Amino acid sequence: MFYTFTSYNQPRGSISVHKNAVVIHNGIEQVSPSDADGWVITLTSVECKVNTQVATNASGNAQFSNLAFCSDYQVSENPANPSSPGFQPEGPTTVTSLTP
């Protein structure tokens, strides 16, 4: 007699995102903590069928948890935040090929 056992308890991971909002006054860059919240961060994966959004909290953090391990996660930021007008992307707004 043979038995087949299939386990669905696969390891899970997380991806953490931190947003720095920077303002420039008289040519000097300064982090603006009051503008770090409310930025919409999107996480997608074709392989894992993920398409979800999280807004950054007051510390500028967004957390995506309980993720299956896939190698095609893409994190992108909506470069416009109505509660923080006037900001322009300084660096990339999309990062690809992430694995939790």
Side-chain angles (χ1 to χ4, degrees):
M1 185 177 280
F2 294 95
Y3 293 97
T4 301
F5 177 75
T6 304
S7 174
Y8 294 99
N9 295 329
Q10 300 298 316
R12 308 297 269 188
S14 63
I15 294 176
S16 300
V17 176
H18 179 75
K19 167 68 176 181
N20 279 329
V22 177
V23 294
I24 300 174
H25 293 289
N26 297 324
I28 299 171
E29 289 187 6
Q30 298 174 346
V31 174
S32 178
S34 62
D35 289 306
D37 64 332
W39 294 89
V40 177
I41 310 296
T42 302
L43 179 70
T44 58
S45 166
V46 173
E47 182 182 347
C48 284
K49 298 178 182 139
V50 173
N51 186 350
T52 188
Q53 294 181 325
V54 172
T56 56
N57 65 16
S59 299
N61 298 319
Q63 181 77 25
F64 298 93
S65 302
N66 198 28
L67 300 171
F69 281 81
C70 294
S71 60
D72 72 331
Y73 281 105
Q74 181 177 36
V75 176
S76 59
E77 169 193 32
N78 182 341
N81 181 354
S83 62
S84 297
F87 280 87
Q88 299 294 321
E90 185 175 285
T93 57
T94 301
V95 181
T96 60
S97 299
L98 296 174
T99 302

